[in-house]
Amino acid sequence: MISHHLSEDDSREFIVFHINKRLLSSKEFKPYDIFNPFKSDFFAVIMVHEGQIAVNVNLQHFRLKKNDLLALAPNMIKQLIAISDDCKFYAILYKPSFLVNANIREFHQDVYDLLVSGMPLFNLTLNEVKTLNNLIEVMLLRSSVDDSIMPNDAVVKHGFLAFMYEYAFLYRKYVKEQTRRTSRKEDIMLKFIKLVADHFKEERSVDFYAKKLFITPKYLSEVTKDVSGKNASAIIAEMVIMEAKNLLSISSITIIEIADLLNFTDMSFFGKYFKRYTGTNPTTYRKNIALH
């Protein structure tokens, strides 16, 4: 899996962007390659104020529209699927170390726990949007004045702290509402997806995930079929194949190395597994990528 850093030299801990479709196609964003699945070493909070964007996060599809806010943690597998021509959104990107280095220690664990506990998607009220917009604009203005924002910048630190307190308040408000609407099966499905994202390279057995969830493999597959229309083994395979395709797009990694990275006993087994789910073998898939 490709892992993106916050900056090319890995020196920055915090960045605020105001993004549109044209900017995503620019040279500035080329290193991020967010149209392919990736992980990152930073958190991201995205807030849409015009148009729509579609993203996949840990195999779950999200369509964000005006006034939607989505928070993403580093360990999540993320991919931008589509963006409307009129889309504009804010992106606040920051490393966990930024919270510590900015001396927000008393707040750090609380926010970290909130962010890694799920993939909250909120549709905000106009007043909530106005409050967050004002805080983001202060941080954005500061970043345009000084491109080397550091945690000792008091304006950035306090602006970010105010934003995170507001975010934490909204998180608790909306997650409480979502929890009331989430069924037992949906809860199992969310936990299963997170486990697969964390362990798919080492474990492709439904039994492994069922044991982690303290349920039987049969019940796990029943749950995933009811919630997503796919059985548990298909979801695991989807994650493995997504990662395999991602690695095959990197020409410097050999197919033997990819088989090893994905914990296949040999290249032949990997090739058969890949062909079973894609209809083509890894070598042919890589050649087709090169042609495009």
Side-chain angles (χ1 to χ4, degrees):
M1 178 66 59
I2 292 174
S3 183
H4 293 324
H5 299 294
L6 203 52
S7 56
E8 287 191 47
D9 61 1
D10 199 28
S11 63
R12 299 189 69 174
E13 296 182 323
F14 176 87
I15 303 177
V16 182
F17 288 115
H18 188 206
I19 301 172
N20 55 34
K21 188 173 184 178
R22 181 189 57 78
L23 186 59
L24 281 178
S25 304
S26 69
K27 184 179 179 181
E28 183 179 2
F29 274 84
K30 191 173 181 180
Y32 290 102
D33 190 24
I34 58 177
F35 286 95
N36 284 311
F38 69 95
K39 288 187 176 182
S40 63
D41 67 347
F42 52 86
F43 290 99
V45 179
I46 297 169
M47 191 168 77
V48 178
H49 60 91
E50 293 292 343
Q52 296 184 355
I53 57 175
V55 297
N56 280 346
V57 185
N58 286 353
L59 299 183
Q60 289 185 267
H61 186 75
F62 295 88
R63 183 171 293 278
L64 282 69
K65 58 187 183 302
K66 184 176 181 178
N67 297 341
D68 279 355
L69 181 146
L70 179 68
L72 306 167
N75 63 323
M76 295 173 176
I77 299 173
K78 304 168 276 282
Q79 181 182 10
L80 179 62
I81 303 299
I83 178 169
S84 64
D85 291 338
D86 62 337
C87 184
K88 295 177 183 177
F89 63 94
Y90 291 112
I92 300 176
L93 314 177
Y94 62 95
K95 293 183 181 180
S97 57
F98 178 79
L99 296 168
V100 177
N101 292 336
N103 294 320
I104 314 175
R105 297 180 188 277
E106 73 281 3
F107 194 61
H108 173 230
Q109 193 62 49
D110 188 24
V111 174
Y112 183 84
D113 287 345
L114 290 177
L115 284 168
V116 300
S117 62
M119 294 165 287
L121 173 61
F122 314 139
N123 184 248
L124 307 176
T125 67
L126 289 177
N127 283 338
E128 290 165 348
V129 168
K130 185 176 179 180
T131 299
L132 292 180
N133 271 345
N134 289 339
L135 294 169
I136 293 171
E137 284 294 337
V138 169
M139 293 184 285
L140 188 64
L141 178 63
R142 191 69 176 182
S143 66
S144 65
V145 171
D146 182 2
D147 192 46
S148 59
I149 291 179
M150 297 300 288
N152 60 3
D153 187 308
V155 174
V156 173
K157 182 180 75 172
H158 292 297
F160 181 77
L161 180 58
F163 178 89
M164 294 312 291
Y165 270 116
E166 186 66 25
Y167 170 78
F169 169 78
L170 294 173
Y171 183 100
R172 294 185 183 96
K173 171 188 172 183
Y174 286 104
V175 166
K176 191 175 290 184
E177 292 177 3
Q178 289 175 357
T179 300
R180 287 198 295 265
R181 299 194 299 263
T182 301
S183 69
R184 163 71 175 156
K185 287 185 176 181
E186 289 169 333
D187 184 54
I188 290 173
M189 181 69 180
L190 288 171
K191 289 176 180 176
F192 171 62
I193 291 292
K194 187 178 186 307
L195 283 170
V196 174
D198 289 341
H199 300 288
F200 73 92
K201 288 183 182 178
E202 299 82 27
E203 296 289 347
R204 294 187 290 275
S205 164
V206 175
D207 285 4
F208 170 83
Y209 298 99
K211 286 177 182 176
K212 287 280 187 182
L213 294 166
F214 304 102
I215 57 178
T216 67
K218 181 181 178 182
Y219 183 63
L220 175 56
S221 279
E222 287 176 2
V223 167
T224 61
K225 189 74 173 177
D226 286 348
V227 176
S228 70
K230 304 172 186 175
N231 61 38
S233 59
I235 291 171
I236 297 166
E238 189 175 344
M239 189 76 80
V240 174
I241 295 300
M242 182 172 68
E243 174 71 342
K245 287 180 176 180
N246 191 48
L247 292 170
L248 286 166
S249 69
I250 305 172
S251 58
S252 59
I253 305 177
T254 69
I255 294 177
I256 294 175
E257 288 172 330
I258 293 171
D260 186 57
L261 285 169
L262 295 177
N263 203 31
F264 287 91
T265 52
D266 54 48
M267 193 171 75
S268 174
F269 183 29
F270 169 60
K272 290 174 182 176
Y273 185 94
F274 188 86
K275 188 170 185 177
R276 186 195 315 162
Y277 291 101
T278 66
T280 187
N281 61 55
T283 302
T284 303
Y285 179 83
R286 173 167 273 180
K287 286 179 180 176
N288 288 338
I289 293 174
L291 291 175
H292 292 88

